[in-house]
Amino acid sequence: MISVTDRLRYGRTVERETGLSEPRKPVVVWNCTRRCNLACKHCYSASTDVLASDELSTVEAARMIDDLAAFACPVLLFSGGEPAMREDLPELVHRAGQAGMRTALSTNGTLLNDALVSELAEAGLNYAGVSLDGMEQTNDAFRGVKGAFNDAMEGIRNCLAAGMKVGLRLTMNAQNVAEIPDIFDLIQAEGIPRVCFYHLVSSGRGAALGSQALSHQQTRDAVDLIMDQAAALVGSGRPTEVLTVDNHADGPYVYLRLAREDPDRADQCLELLQSSGGNSSGSGIGCVSWDGDVLPDQFWRSRVLGNIRRRQFSEIWADPGHPFLAKLRDRKSHLNCRCKRCRWLGVCNGNLRARAEAATRDPWGDDPACYLTDEEIS
């Protein structure tokens, strides 16, 4: 069965399995509001509990959804801010589903009460990803509101009770990386079928968290720990979807470890990584902000490609004359960093260019989160 995540991460494989031959259309992240009831330290949109005056109306949002569906975008991910603060969220989820798109929700989970979860389930929401950034004390300190952990857990339980697929999402940093084993214990105890570990991106308020970013060795240790925990879940007969997100160096790193420990599985892993093609900002994934700005991905707030109030998303995205999009889709010709001599470039595709530009002021420079050694990339 092809899931929302398969379409997001392995679009080329999905095309092959479904017989589709046309170029992959983007999964679209829609920051449907900038308003949020929490104050997370790493928020890439720097959201606050204030309604933005330029937020897309219901009518404008419906027009955008119809355009995305006609453009054959496979998935619409409702994000924020906190998307549950939009009263029309169930209506818009239903509209996207009726138009043929799969729908997902990126939420802090604290507002997912029984009534809203029932509405979203009835509207056809396919998946809810709930963010936690550690266990109770760590999460609440990181998210700026006491009680956020317990409220989010109640939201997760409400989703599970309603039969909705739900997953836990954690952004790794120096304050919570030691709690990864506790997170695995939590998902087992609660019966949560999926967990995603995000690498920190220096965007929005996340730019001020540089001192909390993991070192390269800490990142390697964390990825090894996640692999060990995932293997233990499979070995115990409780297979769970375990993903790492926003650092495409993870792919080669996982492959290299499998090549040492399980060569047969390593070959399958490499085939999947090659099919995925690595980072797809500006091609396989795009973003629409609360004010209608179109971005290459949700983290790249400084790269505005156009605005849907003036031009439809489909027209902006398909414009062959857009200079930055053209370069981004041919990025291998423009990279001027160690990626140029990396044997994994076809697997990683230059990692996250938003993070590279934030660190070097050059969209084609080094992504500082790449933790592969010179020996591993040569």
Side-chain angles (χ1 to χ4, degrees):
M1 178 179 176
I2 296 170
S3 70
V4 169
T5 306
D6 293 327
R7 290 189 180 274
L8 178 59
R9 294 173 63 84
Y10 309 120
R12 294 172 195 170
T13 301
V14 169
E15 286 170 14
R16 186 168 62 247
E17 290 175 354
T18 57
L20 299 175
S21 58
E22 69 270 14
R24 175 173 44 157
K25 295 297 176 64
V27 167
V28 175
V29 177
W30 177 33
N31 299 121
C32 61
T33 182
R34 195 180 186 182
R35 189 180 177 192
C36 186
N37 59 322
L38 301 185
C40 305
K41 294 180 180 180
H42 65 322
C43 180
Y44 65 76
S45 60
S47 295
T48 62
D49 195 3
V50 176
L51 178 64
S53 61
D54 53 1
E55 184 175 293
L56 294 179
S57 68
T58 301
V59 171
E60 290 173 316
R63 189 181 303 124
M64 176 194 71
I65 287 170
D66 292 347
D67 174 57
L68 297 179
F71 194 49
C73 295
V75 179
L76 179 59
L77 172 62
F78 293 80
S79 186
E82 172 47 52
M85 299 192 82
R86 278 194 73 123
E87 294 183 359
D88 58 1
L89 178 64
E91 174 187 345
L92 296 174
V93 167
H94 178 72
R95 189 181 190 97
Q98 289 295 105
M101 286 185 288
R102 296 182 66 83
T103 53
L105 183 68
S106 177
T107 173
N108 63 44
T110 62
L111 304 179
L112 293 180
N113 55 43
D114 283 331
L116 179 57
V117 168
S118 295
E119 284 189 81
L120 291 173
E122 186 175 350
L125 183 70
N126 297 109
Y127 173 73
V130 177
S131 296
L132 288 175
D133 285 299
M135 303 305 289
E136 183 174 357
Q137 184 175 353
T138 302
N139 176 81
D140 289 1
F142 203 70
R143 295 193 161 262
V145 175
K146 187 173 178 59
F149 178 88
N150 289 329
D151 289 344
M153 287 305 305
E154 183 178 353
I156 289 173
R157 292 170 187 140
N158 289 337
C159 290
L160 291 170
M164 182 186 297
K165 184 172 182 181
V166 64
L168 188 153
R169 305 159 75 244
L170 178 144
T171 298
M172 296 183 291
N173 60 81
Q175 296 178 18
N176 65 14
V177 69
E179 297 183 359
I180 289 176
D182 298 319
I183 293 297
F184 275 96
D185 290 342
L186 178 68
I187 64 173
Q188 290 184 70
E190 297 287 342
I192 301 170
R194 172 183 164 91
V195 59
C196 301
F197 295 94
Y198 285 72
H199 294 265
L200 182 66
V201 180
S202 297
S203 182
R205 286 199 292 269
L209 280 182
S211 63
Q212 298 300 319
L214 300 182
S215 69
H216 287 180
Q217 186 57 55
Q218 287 174 317
T219 303
R220 296 168 75 95
D221 292 343
V223 175
D224 279 328
L225 176 58
I226 291 166
M227 291 180 68
D228 292 341
Q229 293 281 340
L233 279 175
V234 173
S236 68
R238 288 180 287 188
T240 303
E241 290 181 56
V242 180
L243 299 90
T244 62
V245 187
D246 294 334
N247 192 336
H248 294 273
D250 291 347
Y253 187 76
V254 169
Y255 166 76
L256 290 169
R257 175 170 164 176
L258 285 176
R260 297 191 300 269
E261 299 176 358
D262 192 343
D264 289 339
R265 288 187 63 209
D267 290 342
Q268 298 173 9
C269 172
L270 184 59
E271 181 181 358
L272 183 59
L273 290 169
Q274 290 170 333
S275 296
S276 172
N279 179 270
S280 62
S281 299
S283 54
I285 185 169
C287 177
V288 178
S289 193
W290 53 85
D291 58 358
D293 280 349
V294 176
L295 313 168
D297 63 50
Q298 65 270 41
F299 300 108
W300 219 342
R301 315 304 297 183
S302 62
R303 289 287 178 175
V304 178
L305 308 173
N307 189 288
I308 66 165
R309 284 183 165 129
R310 295 184 289 274
R311 196 179 183 198
Q312 290 187 325
F313 178 93
S314 57
E315 295 177 3
I316 296 169
W317 207 255
D319 184 355
H322 195 291
F324 187 73
L325 270 182
K327 286 184 177 180
L328 192 55
R329 292 168 183 173
D330 185 32
R331 69 181 73 179
K332 294 182 181 70
S333 302
H334 300 280
L335 293 169
N336 55 25
C337 54
R338 70 196 296 256
C339 295
K340 291 184 67 173
R341 55 186 173 85
C342 178
R343 62 172 167 149
W344 304 112
L345 181 55
V347 166
C348 171
N349 202 27
N351 217 332
L352 200 62
R353 295 290 92 208
R355 189 162 44 213
E357 185 170 47
T360 68
R361 299 186 179 181
D362 180 359
W364 317 115
D366 284 312
D367 180 343
C370 177
Y371 55 89
L372 299 178
T373 66
D374 288 344
E375 181 181 11
E376 287 168 334
I377 72 170
S378 63

